[in-house]
């Protein structure tokens, strides 16, 4: 976390510093205490370990841990408008959509990216309407039902 403090002090003092790769509440708190202006919940898209927790499963505890001190962004697994609505309902301030944008760009250039963004917007609006919400502020956790047994395995911070 000393590197984050150094970055904020020396390199990003007048720019927002968002720390990506946060998957535990403890790391989110450390990031904020070290000077982060935001945290991005992400397993870096790899899920490199078989059975690794999806970023959206780590999101609620991280949102709860940092409260409204900093924005909490979700990166990973966002492919449809319903994914955006789920992330917002679980407390994300915003989502990353890098992979879909890169795929669209590779397949059809700028026009495909514009189409993707318009499609995501329509899907978000449709999902919100189906859920009976008129604005993003009304997308609350009450809209989400996950894991019928009510539990999600909580990540434990590594002791490396």
């Amino acid at each position: 976390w000393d590197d984050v403090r150094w970055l904020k002090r020396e390199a990003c003092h007048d720019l927002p510093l968002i720390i990506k790769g946060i998957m535990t509440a403890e790391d989110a708190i450390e990031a904020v205490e070290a000077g982060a202006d935001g945290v991005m919940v992400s397993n870096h898209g790899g899920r490199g370990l078989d059975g690794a927790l999806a970023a959206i499963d780590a999101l609620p505890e991280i949102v709860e841990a940092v409260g409204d001190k900093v924005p909490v962004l979700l990166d990973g697994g966002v492919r449809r408008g319903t994914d955006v609505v789920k992330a917002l309902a679980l407390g994300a301030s915003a989502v990353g959509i890098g992979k879909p944008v890169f795929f669209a760009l590779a397949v059809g250039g700028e026009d495909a990216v514009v189409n993707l963004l318009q499609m995501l917007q329509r899907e978000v609006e449709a999902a919100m309407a189906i859920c009976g919400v008129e604005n993003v502020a009304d997308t609350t956790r009450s809209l989400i039902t996950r894991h019928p047994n009510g539990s999600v395995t909580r990540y434990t911070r590594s002791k490396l």
Side-chain angles (χ1 to χ4, degrees), residues 50-66:
D50 185 30
L53 191 63
I56 198 160
D57 289 328
L59 179 63
E61 81 170 51
I62 292 167
V63 168
E64 185 177 329
V66 300

Side-chain angles (χ1 to χ4, degrees), residues 48-149:
L49 296 173
D50 185 30
L53 191 63
I56 198 160
D57 289 328
L59 179 63
E61 81 170 51
I62 292 167
V63 168
E64 185 177 329
V66 300
D68 9 344
K69 293 177 190 156
V70 299
V72 177
L73 295 82
L74 175 78
D75 181 56
V78 177
R79 302 293 181 267
R80 295 176 291 282
T82 52
D83 298 326
V84 174
V85 173
K86 288 175 207 174
L88 294 172
L90 291 172
S93 307
V95 299
I97 55 168
K99 201 171 283 185
V101 169
F102 291 132
F103 289 161
L105 186 61
V107 170
E110 180 181 351
D111 290 342
V113 173
V114 170
N115 184 55
L116 166 73
L117 296 174
Q118 291 170 341
M119 183 176 61
L120 275 173
Q121 180 180 0
R122 287 190 304 270
E123 290 175 357
V124 167
E125 290 168 353
M128 288 174 61
I130 290 168
C131 290
V133 296
E134 294 184 29
N135 59 60
V136 171
D138 294 335
T139 56
T140 64
R141 196 167 183 170
S142 66
L143 298 175
I144 304 296
T145 301
R146 296 199 48 135
H147 304 283
N149 67 0

